[in-house]
Amino acid sequence: MADIRNNFVGIKSPNPFWLASAPPTDKEYNVVRAFKAGWGGVVWKTLGEEGPPIVNVNGPRYGAIWGADRRLLGLNNIELITDRELQTNLREIKQVKRDWPDRALVVSLMVPCEENAWKAILPLVEETGADGIELNFGCPHGMSERGMGSAVGQVPEYIEMVTRWCKQNTRMPVIVKLTPNITDIRYPARAAKHGGADAVSLINTVSSITSVDLDTFSPEPSIDGKGSHGGYCGPAVKPIALNMVAEIARDPETAGLPISGIGGVTTWRDAAEFMALGAGNVQVCTAAMTYGFKIVQEMIEGLKNWMDEKGHARLEDFIGRATPNVTDWQYLNLNYVTKAHIDQDLCIKCGRCHIACEDTSHQAITAMVDGARHFEVIEEECVGCNLCVNVCPVEGCITMQPLAAGALDKRTGKIVEPVYANWTTHPNNPAAKIAAE
């Protein structure tokens, strides 16, 4: 069997699946249940400084987006950091680490953007024996209005400053959790690296309002007729997270900076995609809140089976393998030509491909042939956009077939050129032409 033991910035765990800082990691009871289910590590729900307690709402905390089958696609939450006493959390963290020494236990922190506040809490966490800390610079609601969370994460200079404070005042690895609520994720990642961060984790939640009650005209979740923006997470944010992970992994200024991938990880395949794009491990929240802690067992077995099938003996064999294949649009090979093909044996004659193509694309799929309902690609009109593949309800019914070099592209009337190994410098590449000029 594949070896999925994980070593992330010196923090070892039996597998790369960690629970993210969130309600599932709020107390000893939850974390112990998670470890018994098989999770490799946890990031303890964000702790704040000693002082007046955090007060959460005593009403609905979640808004949701569902698919047609009521499968949960995304959660919006307005919950704040832990509302349990700091000393209670610290005592439980120490006990859990003592009882589960083989599991990763990282502590998420959020205190005011003042050096003394960080200096005060760091030794308290260090005394618990925790494996590391995660600086919560991502939370977009509640705490950000108080000058913390994403209010820090949106200012690279603050990220660098606070990260440096922490590195100067603790022996523990420092992971910086980044907010997606920013124009270019590379700048906060660079700031974290300049501040000495051992790693970054991303993404935190996306600032959002999921819905509005059209009877009360209050955003959901509604608290006594009022609503607030919250943090959006779950499968729906995965594409955003994958892109941001890839941007950091392929940025020359942050190349080599370890990444913990977060955002919509629900299956082993999701985890493998994050790691292929450069993440050293993954963190999970919404999937555990939807299906329970035992979902990790499917993730573990699925990842092992895939690795065995592909011949990957260790996680390192495929971590980052997809990163070099992420490029800017200008470097895509414009000589690569594909055409849609409909398998008539699988086609159920629903007509969705025809309607989508006829109304919104390139009028490249027939509806009738010889007076009979029949859907077939008109190669002379097909631009290879694959919209039909994505709207077809039958998996594998419509596929994209590349035209071989030397074939005639009936749409353009040109002979298909070979796929060049070095397209970046090929004279037909627009970017190469610009560079040459």
Side-chain angles (χ1 to χ4, degrees), residues 259-315:
I259 301 170
S260 183
I262 313 171
V265 177
T266 307
T267 68
W268 68 266
R269 183 178 295 275
D270 298 328
E273 291 176 11
F274 271 94
M275 290 189 281
L277 284 172
N281 68 5
V282 294
Q283 296 183 34
V284 180
C285 174
T286 306
M289 295 178 73
T290 306
Y291 303 109
F293 285 149
K294 288 186 178 180
I295 192 175
V296 74
Q297 295 166 12
E298 296 180 15
M299 295 179 178
I300 290 170
E301 293 308 310
L303 183 61
K304 284 182 176 179
N305 290 339
W306 173 76
M307 289 175 64
D308 285 341
E309 179 185 336
K310 298 296 183 180
H312 302 308
R314 305 173 307 143
L315 297 174

Side-chain angles (χ1 to χ4, degrees), residues 398-414:
I398 307 179
T399 54
M400 302 306 298
Q401 304 293 330
L403 292 188
L408 176 67
D409 182 349
K410 296 179 181 179
R411 186 180 72 86
T412 63
K414 296 180 179 180

Side-chain angles (χ1 to χ4, degrees), residues 80-406:
L80 303 181
I81 65 175
T82 184
D83 52 13
R84 304 169 71 236
E85 291 186 1
L86 176 62
Q87 292 302 323
T88 299
N89 277 297
L90 294 171
R91 183 172 61 252
E92 292 183 3
I93 291 167
K94 186 173 185 177
Q95 185 63 50
V96 171
K97 187 59 191 177
R98 182 182 297 131
D99 293 343
W100 297 85
D102 67 321
R103 308 301 172 93
L105 201 165
V106 173
V107 179
S108 176
L109 297 176
M110 183 192 293
V111 297
C113 199
E114 301 167 359
E115 187 172 6
N116 286 338
W118 288 98
K119 281 185 176 180
I121 199 168
L122 289 171
L124 300 179
V125 176
E126 192 166 306
E127 196 275 331
T128 66
D131 296 302
I133 56 171
E134 183 179 78
L135 311 186
N136 186 343
F137 295 155
C139 187
H141 57 275
M143 306 308 293
S144 59
E145 290 89 333
R146 309 179 196 190
M148 293 179 275
S150 63
V152 177
Q154 291 169 335
V155 184
E157 292 80 4
Y158 291 173
I159 294 174
E160 182 176 347
M161 177 179 67
V162 178
T163 303
R164 185 171 285 113
W165 289 341
C166 292
K167 286 298 295 180
Q168 292 171 347
N169 289 282
T170 184
R171 61 164 181 81
M172 296 178 291
V174 175
I175 303 169
V176 175
K177 191 171 188 179
L178 303 179
T179 178
N181 303 297
I182 194 163
T183 305
D184 192 331
I185 196 66
R186 293 174 298 176
Y187 291 102
R190 292 170 185 172
K193 185 175 182 179
H194 293 158
D198 296 281
V200 292
S201 59
L202 70 154
I203 59 173
N204 207 310
T205 54
V206 179
S207 187
S208 63
I209 292 175
T210 51
S211 61
V212 174
D213 187 317
L214 293 180
D215 292 319
T216 64
F217 293 102
S218 171
E220 298 285 0
S222 179
I223 305 296
D224 193 26
K226 300 289 184 179
S228 175
H229 70 98
Y232 192 54
C233 57
V237 308
K238 176 188 163 189
I240 299 170
L242 286 175
N243 176 60
M244 290 189 170
V245 165
E247 285 295 281
I248 294 172
R250 72 189 188 97
D251 179 13
E253 294 191 38
T254 51
L257 180 65
I259 301 170
S260 183
I262 313 171
V265 177
T266 307
T267 68
W268 68 266
R269 183 178 295 275
D270 298 328
E273 291 176 11
F274 271 94
M275 290 189 281
L277 284 172
N281 68 5
V282 294
Q283 296 183 34
V284 180
C285 174
T286 306
M289 295 178 73
T290 306
Y291 303 109
F293 285 149
K294 288 186 178 180
I295 192 175
V296 74
Q297 295 166 12
E298 296 180 15
M299 295 179 178
I300 290 170
E301 293 308 310
L303 183 61
K304 284 182 176 179
N305 290 339
W306 173 76
M307 289 175 64
D308 285 341
E309 179 185 336
K310 298 296 183 180
H312 302 308
R314 305 173 307 143
L315 297 174
E316 290 74 15
D317 291 346
F318 70 92
I319 288 176
R321 285 280 293 273
T323 306
N325 294 326
V326 181
T327 188
D328 295 335
W329 191 97
Q330 61 184 340
Y331 299 121
L332 297 177
N333 189 349
L334 302 185
N335 289 331
Y336 181 74
V337 180
T338 61
K339 301 291 182 181
H341 173 76
I342 301 174
D343 186 329
Q344 298 302 325
D345 292 332
L346 294 177
C347 181
I348 61 174
K349 306 295 189 291
C350 68
R352 286 173 64 177
C353 61
H354 166 73
I355 292 299
C357 189
E358 192 73 14
D359 286 356
T360 68
S361 194
H362 292 82
Q363 298 77 52
I365 297 178
T366 65
M368 306 288 289
V369 174
D370 297 330
R373 188 175 176 84
H374 181 82
F375 302 98
E376 193 169 324
V377 175
I378 305 169
E379 190 173 310
E380 292 85 345
E381 303 297 335
C382 179
V383 301
C385 73
N386 91 327
L387 174 63
C388 55
V389 175
N390 291 310
V391 301
C392 178
V394 180
E395 186 175 1
C397 177
I398 307 179
T399 54
M400 302 306 298
Q401 304 293 330
L403 292 188

Side-chain angles (χ1 to χ4, degrees), residues 10-43:
I11 303 172
K12 296 180 180 179
S13 57
N15 61 65
F17 300 105
W18 293 6
L19 282 174
S21 168
T25 62
D26 189 36
K27 59 176 74 74
E28 179 180 4
Y29 177 83
N30 301 69
V31 173
V32 169
R33 283 179 60 84
F35 284 163
K36 286 180 178 178
W39 290 90
V42 303
V43 181

